[in-house]
Amino acid sequence: MRLHTTALALSLAAALAATTAVAEEKKSMAFVVNGASDFWKLAEAGVKKAQAELPGYDLQFKYPEQAAAAVQQRLMDDLVAAGVSAIMVSAVDPKSSTDALNRIGGQVPLFTTDSDAPDTNRIAYIGSSNGDAGRQAGEIALKALPDGGKCIGFVGLPGADNARERIEGMKAAIAGSKVELVDVRGDDIDMTRAKRNVEDALAANPDIDCMVGFYSYNPPRIYEVLKESGKLGAVTVIAFDEDPITLGGVREGSIAGTVVQQPYEWGYQGMKLMAKFLEGDKSGIPADGLVIVPTKIIDKGNVDAFEAELKSRISG
């Protein structure tokens, strides 16, 4: 009996050791965003789908406490110290963060999303062509303002590549027309400041023809201010992304259209791409390091079908 008990104990110990070894061998990968926003729920859903297909990895989705480059960098440093195997990041301010991003990229494979950092040692970027997205916003403006008009833009991080490229793309699309983008105001992903920017812009420019929300939460703040001031429908609104308020405005016609990205695919394809890279398969990395997920225009004609697709993805 004693021998049987001893054998059973040894068997259990061996099984436990094997389980522990497997757990220790599981690699972790992190998706680090640039700030707290509902926009990232779709990317998180994409990461969740990838997790189901990558049982040998622990996938983490991380929000910095504040939309500040230093805070984001500390978060990534902590992840590296904890043993993360690879990081995908939407850098808060790539231009001023080159050294910090190179430091991270020198320790673990670094990928970018949403806002690229091409001057760093990142492996690849997966996300939208923000220049193309900006040009699509310009197309919406030209169609909605056939007689021309003056637009004011609102954005979270003016220094981020995604913001700069969207603005430049829109300006390129409207160049030579009677539509102008006369000002862009930043808010550092501060919701209170984002709304106040719209209020201040409207007070200073009561006859403004058009407002453009370049980040996902900017169009809802524009919508709220225009509704509160009784100018909803009188000012043309051009949006980015798929906040529920934005889609509701598109449906009712108070928002001319919105340029949507595919953050779900960033999360899903991004994690799969990083896993293959860690396993030595670099075939998914293009020569230029750019994996572009197309953007598209959502207007009154296709908003219902688009929203149904979103709900299906988020519900899993």
Side-chain angles (χ1 to χ4, degrees):
M1 182 67 178
R2 182 176 297 171
L3 288 174
H4 177 72
T5 303
T6 301
L8 179 60
L10 289 172
S11 178
L12 290 172
L16 178 61
T19 301
T20 302
V22 170
E24 289 175 349
E25 291 172 4
K26 183 179 282 192
K27 293 180 179 179
S28 62
M29 300 187 295
F31 192 115
V32 179
V33 305
N34 57 9
S37 170
D38 286 347
F39 169 77
W40 291 111
K41 287 181 179 178
L42 278 165
E44 196 165 1
V47 170
K48 183 178 178 181
K49 180 185 178 184
Q51 178 67 86
E53 298 178 16
L54 296 170
Y57 292 85
D58 173 34
L59 307 186
Q60 304 175 35
F61 200 90
K62 296 290 186 179
Y63 291 86
E65 296 176 1
Q66 182 183 352
V71 175
Q72 187 183 61
Q73 289 158 19
R74 283 198 299 271
L75 173 57
M76 289 192 288
D77 284 335
D78 289 344
L79 286 167
V80 171
V84 74
S85 298
I87 293 175
M88 178 166 286
V89 61
S90 172
V92 170
D93 189 353
K95 296 298 182 186
S96 68
S97 304
T98 300
D99 290 344
L101 291 170
N102 281 337
R103 185 182 71 250
I104 298 297
Q107 299 174 83
V108 298
L110 180 69
F111 292 69
T112 55
T113 187
D114 184 39
S115 184
D116 196 11
D119 296 329
T120 69
N121 57 7
R122 63 100 169 106
I123 305 298
Y125 164 80
I126 179 166
S128 305
S129 165
N130 287 293
D132 288 348
R135 282 185 282 276
Q136 287 174 316
E139 291 173 19
I140 298 172
L142 292 171
K143 184 177 180 180
L145 297 164
D147 297 323
K150 296 183 184 298
C151 300
I152 295 178
F154 304 91
V155 71
L157 303 166
D161 281 1
N162 60 353
R164 181 181 54 77
E165 290 169 4
R166 290 176 197 181
I167 293 164
E168 290 177 354
M170 182 173 182
K171 286 182 176 180
I174 62 178
S177 75
K178 294 181 180 180
V179 177
E180 298 178 74
L181 183 62
V182 297
D183 188 19
V184 178
R185 303 187 179 199
D187 55 57
D188 293 324
I189 314 186
D190 180 323
M191 300 303 116
T192 300
R193 184 176 166 192
K195 185 175 182 180
R196 188 171 63 246
N197 279 353
V198 182
E199 292 169 338
D200 292 348
L202 189 60
N205 305 272
D207 297 323
I208 194 70
D209 302 296
C210 158
M211 290 186 169
V212 186
F214 285 100
Y215 274 14
S216 63
Y217 59 85
N218 292 124
R221 304 295 83 77
I222 294 170
Y223 183 96
E224 291 167 2
V225 172
L226 293 179
K227 186 173 183 178
E228 290 167 2
S229 63
K231 291 200 172 186
L232 191 63
V235 177
T236 296
V237 180
I238 297 158
F240 277 77
D241 303 316
E242 59 283 316
D243 186 277
I245 294 176
T246 299
L247 295 180
V250 171
R251 182 177 294 106
E252 71 184 21
S254 58
I255 294 179
T258 186
V259 180
V260 299
Q261 306 178 87
Q262 298 192 62
Y264 180 91
E265 295 298 335
W266 306 349
Y268 175 66
Q269 294 184 31
M271 293 298 105
K272 301 273 282 191
L273 183 67
M274 288 203 298
K276 285 184 178 180
F277 184 87
L278 290 175
E279 293 159 10
D281 182 355
K282 301 180 182 179
S283 61
I285 309 297
D288 62 2
L290 301 176
V291 181
I292 300 301
V293 182
T295 54
K296 56 184 177 180
I297 295 173
I298 301 300
D299 57 23
K300 202 168 184 177
N302 60 2
V303 65
D304 289 335
F306 175 72
E307 192 163 27
E309 179 186 355
L310 287 184
K311 289 178 179 177
S312 173
R313 284 186 160 182
I314 290 177
S315 63

